[in-house]
Amino acid sequence: MQLISKIYLMNSFYKKLELGWPGKDLEIKPEPRVLIEDPEKSYGEANTGNMLIHADNLLALKALEQNFSGKIKCIYIDPPYNTGNAFEHYDDGLEHSMWLNLMKPRLELLYKLLANDGSIWISIDDDESHYLKVLCDEVFGRRNFIANVLWQKRTSPDNRLRLGPAHDHILVYGRIPLIHKNFNQLKISTTRKNDFKNPDNDPRGPWASTDCTAQAGHGTSNQFYSLTTPAGRVINLPDNLCWRFTRERMDEEITAGRIWFGKDGKGVPRKKTYLSEIQGQNSWTWWENSEVGHNQEAKKEIIALFGGNNTFDTPKPERLIQRIIQLASNEGDIVLDSFLGSGTTAAVAHKMGRKWIGIELGEHCNTHCLPRLKMVCDGTDQGGISKAQEWKGGGGFKFYGLAPSLLNKDKYNQWVINPNYNVQLLAAAMARHEGFTYCPSETEVWKQGFATEHHYIFTTTNTITPDVVEQILSEMKPEESLLICCVAFKVECDEISTRIEIRKIPDVILGKCEFGNEDYCTETNIINMPVDPDQPAFVPSYVSPEIKPSPAKIKKEDPTQSKLLF
Ligand SMILES: C[S@@+](CC[C@H](N)C(=O)[O-])C[C@H]1O[C@@H](n2cnc3c(N)ncnc32)[C@H](O)[C@@H]1O
C-alpha cells in the first residue's frame, strides 16, 4: 500500500484526526453559579456529602468545578441516546450535530471533575455510540480509552425487527492510561464458583486448574525441560511452548500438591487455584443480563418503587450500576451521575457506601429521584440490590438548586446585578467568579473568601471610599492582600495600597462567561443549523417549556445563617 507522503499531508485542511460538525468550534462559557440548598427537600443525616441537584447539568457541573475538580472517582452517565423518541419525562430527538453540541461541553467539565485514578462510564446505543467514541477520544484522550463494554440489555430478540438490538455500549475512559489495572475485582459469581471442584479431596478445598505451559517466546532457558508425571509419563513440549514455571518452582508446586496430573497421573500438568485463595474475579467486556440485569428488570424495579402509573421510561437496572461502582470505586469514594433520570446511580451508590452527586434537569428530580432516595435512607426500598447489599437504611443527602444568573439586563439593556441576589449570595457568587473559596470570617467582615493563605476577597454593594480602605488596611497583616469587588468606588481608593485591589461589578466579570442563560438544553440555545442535504429533514420536538426547572427561589435569609456551601 503506497503511503501518502508527509509533505502531501501538510497541505491538507485537517491537521489532525478529528470529528467535525457545525457548532463544534463555538465555545460555550457557562456561568459558574452558586448551588443553593433547599433544606425542606434535604433528607436524613446532615453532612454526608451526598448531593441531589435539580438543574441543567452543564450549569451544575460548572458550579461543582471549583470544589470537586479532580475529586470524583467514578462517573457514570446515561445521557439521552438520541433515539428520536419523545419519552414521558424528556425528549430524545435532536439533529446529530446538536446532540454532539450538547455532549461536548458536558464531557469536558466531567473530565475536569474526574480524579487522576478515576474512570468515566458512558451508556449509549448505536444511534450515537460511534460518534460519541470519537468525541470522547478527543475529550479524554484516545490513549485513556479503556473499553467498550457490551451490556445484554434484553432477554430475547425484538419480534418486530429482523435484526434487533440486543446490547447497549458502555464506553469506559480513565484520566490516565491503564487505570483499569487498579479496578477492583468482582465478587466470584455462582457460575465461576461451580468451576471449583475437589476430585482429589485436596485439604485446601475446591480448586480450578489452569494451563501450566506458556508461549516459548516469553520463556527463559530454565523453563524449557522435559517433565515426568507421577505415573512415569515423560512430557516434552513442542518448540512453540515452554513451562510456565522454572524447573525448581515446578518441583516445589508438585511437592506441595498444587499441580494436577489428572486422575491417572499421566495428564499434562495443570496448576491448581483454590477457591479459598482468590479474592474475586476479573471482569471482561461482555456483560450478560443474567449477571447485571436487563431493561425489563429495571422497569420492574421502578414499578416496585413508584407504582404502575408513575413509572419512568428509560431506567437502568440497579445490578448494572452496582457492577460499575464495584469495579471503579471503593467505600467513601465519590460517584457522580449528571443524567440521573429516576435516581438509580445515587440509590445504588448510597446502598454501596459511596458518596454521591446526582444531577437531573427534569421535574422527575422531584417526583422520582427525591422520593426514591428518601426510601433508600429509610431502608424501605428493599428492591434492586438492597438484599444483596444487606441494606437496612441510613445516611442522608442535601437537595440543591442553582442560584439564578448573577447579572441580568435592565430596561436600558445594561448588565446589572440580579435584584434577586442578597449580599451573602452576591459575595458567594463573586468569590466563585474570581476563583476564591467562599468562607466568610466571623471576625473580619472583609475576609469573605480566600484564594491563598493571605489573599482575600471582599464584595460589597456599598460605594467604597478612602476611609473604608484605610480602615481595612489598618486591620490587615503585612503579608495579607485583598481584592475588593464593589458597585462603585472613589478613584483615589486604588492608589492607597498595592495590597488592596478594587474592581467594579459588573465590569470585572463581564465577558468571562454567559450571563442570563438559564437554558443550555434546547436547540434555540446553540445555533441555527445549516441544512445538510444528505440528512433527512429533522423536526426537533424538544422544546417543551414544562421540562425546564425554574431557578431556585432565594429566600431573604438571616445573613448569619450560612446555608450556602458551593
Ligand atoms: C436515559 S435517562 C437516565 C436514566 C437513568 N440512568 C435511570 O436509571 O433512571 C437520561 C436523563 O437525562 C436527563 N437530562 C437530559 N438532559 C439533561 C441536562 N441538560 N441536565 C440534566 N439532566 C438532563 C433527562 O431528563 C433524563 O432523565
Side-chain angles (χ1 to χ4, degrees):
M1 180 177 72
Q2 187 231 347
L3 284 183
I4 302 177
S5 76
K6 267 208 162 39
I7 307 294
Y8 179 70
L9 283 179
M10 303 277 278
N11 303 329
S12 164
F13 167 77
Y14 288 104
K15 298 302 175 223
K16 63 182 171 107
L17 185 166
E18 67 168 316
L19 180 65
W21 68 85
K24 180 182 180 181
D25 48 345
L26 297 180
E27 196 199 3
I28 291 186
K29 293 195 277 182
E31 179 186 350
R33 302 280 183 89
V34 173
L35 286 165
I36 297 192
E37 185 200 347
D38 183 340
E40 262 126 56
K41 292 182 180 171
S42 295
Y43 195 76
E45 276 170 41
N47 298 318
T48 60
N50 298 330
M51 304 170 69
L52 177 56
I53 305 172
H54 182 200
D56 170 23
N57 51 24
L58 185 68
L59 289 167
L61 292 170
K62 187 69 187 169
L64 292 168
E65 191 181 7
Q66 187 182 38
N67 294 321
F68 287 92
S69 285
K71 299 241 175 76
I72 311 293
K73 184 65 181 287
C74 173
I75 296 175
Y76 170 73
I77 58 171
D78 178 18
Y81 287 2
N82 211 17
T83 56
N85 291 326
F87 295 112
E88 158 113 21
H89 294 96
Y90 65 98
D91 276 346
D92 189 20
L94 285 173
E95 193 283 326
H96 295 300
S97 304
M98 271 308 165
W99 189 85
L100 290 167
N101 281 322
L102 283 177
M103 288 305 291
K104 181 168 175 284
R106 289 163 173 82
L107 291 171
E108 285 162 348
L109 278 167
L110 288 168
Y111 178 71
K112 286 189 184 154
L113 298 182
L114 199 56
N116 232 17
D117 59 352
S119 56
I120 179 166
W121 303 66
I122 310 172
S123 274
I124 196 74
D125 73 3
D126 285 335
D127 283 307
E128 297 292 356
S129 61
H130 305 86
Y131 292 86
L132 179 63
K133 167 71 172 63
V134 183
L135 169 58
C136 287
D137 282 355
E138 283 182 33
V139 174
F140 299 104
R142 191 165 182 168
R143 65 203 185 101
N144 297 327
F145 172 67
I146 294 172
N148 177 358
V149 168
L150 294 184
W151 166 49
Q152 187 188 27
K153 64 180 176 184
R154 301 177 62 95
T155 53
S156 59
D158 184 333
N159 291 332
R160 298 163 301 174
L161 301 167
R162 288 295 161 89
L163 180 57
H167 67 276
D168 269 359
H169 302 264
I170 303 174
L171 300 181
V172 190
Y173 285 80
R175 203 187 155 89
I176 53 175
L178 307 176
I179 195 64
H180 54 296
K181 289 199 178 324
N182 306 339
F183 281 172
N184 296 320
Q185 287 192 303
L186 300 173
K187 281 204 189 88
I188 305 188
S189 65
T190 328
T191 334
R192 178 74 182 116
K193 269 197 192 129
N194 295 342
D195 295 342
F196 291 78
K197 312 252 185 298
N198 196 353
D200 58 350
N201 295 321
D202 190 311
R204 285 159 287 211
W207 50 270
S209 66
T210 45
D211 191 354
C212 263
T213 63
Q215 293 303 312
H218 307 299
T220 55
S221 58
N222 51 10
Q223 288 175 266
F224 296 87
Y225 49 87
S226 63
L227 186 144
T228 309
T229 72
R233 175 185 163 204
V234 177
I235 302 175
N236 290 305
L237 292 177
D239 295 349
N240 64 330
L241 290 179
C242 65
W243 293 111
R244 200 163 124 195
F245 307 123
T246 61
R247 164 103 262 171
E248 299 67 36
R249 168 81 191 280
M250 183 66 93
D251 289 345
E252 277 163 26
E253 294 291 337
I254 293 172
T255 316
R258 290 172 170 272
I259 300 294
W260 172 244
F261 291 95
K263 272 202 169 357
D264 60 5
K266 291 185 185 152
V268 175
R270 294 180 61 80
K271 170 85 173 69
K272 292 181 183 179
T273 303
Y274 296 93
L275 185 56
S276 59
E277 291 173 352
I278 56 173
Q279 311 306 320
Q281 69 184 67
N282 292 343
S283 179
W284 61 351
T285 57
W286 171 238
W287 291 7
E288 293 194 11
N289 56 37
S290 57
E291 294 168 2
V292 292
H294 44 78
N295 280 338
Q296 283 332 89
E297 179 174 317
K299 287 266 170 64
K300 285 202 186 104
E301 287 169 0
I302 291 294
I303 291 168
L305 285 163
F306 303 112
N309 303 330
N310 183 21
T311 61
F312 181 78
D313 290 329
T314 56
K316 289 289 184 288
E318 290 205 357
R319 288 196 290 159
L320 179 71
I321 313 300
Q322 178 191 36
R323 172 165 291 189
I324 292 171
I325 295 178
Q326 163 63 24
L327 287 171
S329 73
N330 298 303
E331 286 209 7
D333 285 338
I334 307 177
V335 173
L336 181 144
D337 183 346
S338 55
F339 292 89
L340 194 60
S342 65
T344 313
T345 307
V348 171
H350 197 108
K351 293 175 184 177
M352 294 177 75
R354 274 59 170 179
K355 288 202 179 90
W356 54 267
I357 301 175
I359 306 167
E360 174 50 54
L361 161 68
E363 192 42 37
H364 43 292
C365 187
N366 285 312
T367 56
H368 290 69
C369 303
L370 186 55
R372 181 177 189 168
L373 293 163
K374 285 182 177 174
M375 286 190 261
V376 171
C377 293
D378 296 343
T380 50
D381 164 14
Q382 282 303 311
I385 64 163
S386 293
K387 299 248 171 351
Q389 287 294 133
E390 294 167 12
W391 175 253
K392 301 275 182 290
F397 57 89
K398 290 197 171 165
F399 188 100
Y400 294 90
L402 280 175
S405 182
L406 172 55
L407 302 181
N408 48 22
K409 288 260 173 104
D410 66 10
K411 65 179 181 184
Y412 308 106
N413 206 26
Q414 299 301 306
W415 285 109
V416 292
I417 297 173
N418 185 327
N420 259 330
Y421 271 61
N422 58 26
V423 279
Q424 196 202 6
L425 187 56
L426 178 64
M430 284 310 298
R432 168 134 317 171
H433 276 279
E434 295 302 305
F436 288 73
T437 300
Y438 179 66
C439 179
S441 147
E442 272 154 32
T443 48
E444 288 114 329
V445 285
W446 50 271
K447 283 187 180 174
Q448 291 172 341
F450 60 87
T452 63
E453 204 189 341
H454 301 302
H455 187 43
Y456 300 96
I457 186 171
F458 172 45
T459 298
T460 173
T461 49
N462 300 331
T463 300
I464 292 291
T465 59
D467 306 357
V468 173
V469 178
E470 295 290 1
Q471 170 68 35
I472 295 175
L473 198 54
S474 68
E475 294 170 17
M476 285 169 70
K477 299 193 183 76
E479 68 277 17
E480 292 180 331
S481 60
L482 178 66
L483 168 65
I484 299 180
C485 295
C486 55
V487 288
F489 63 93
K490 302 256 178 272
V491 275
E492 56 273 29
C493 295
D494 234 352
E495 274 97 43
I496 293 174
S497 162
T498 53
R499 290 191 291 128
I500 297 185
E501 192 187 348
I502 306 176
R503 303 267 195 82
K504 192 171 165 307
I505 311 171
D507 311 15
V508 61
I509 49 177
L510 278 178
K512 284 192 175 166
C513 63
E514 289 141 12
F515 290 101
N517 194 339
E518 294 304 338
D519 177 359
Y520 281 94
C521 285
T522 47
E523 213 159 326
T524 52
N525 216 12
I526 301 180
I527 59 171
N528 297 328
M529 284 303 300
V531 177
D532 176 344
D534 301 336
Q535 289 291 333
F538 183 90
V539 184
S541 58
Y542 190 71
V543 187
S544 40
E546 68 276 358
I547 284 192
K548 295 185 215 125
S550 54
K553 299 196 178 40
I554 309 291
K555 299 197 195 71
K556 290 268 173 291
E557 305 223 5
D558 160 359
T560 58
Q561 289 304 315
S562 63
K563 281 233 168 15
L564 292 174
L565 277 185
F566 289 90

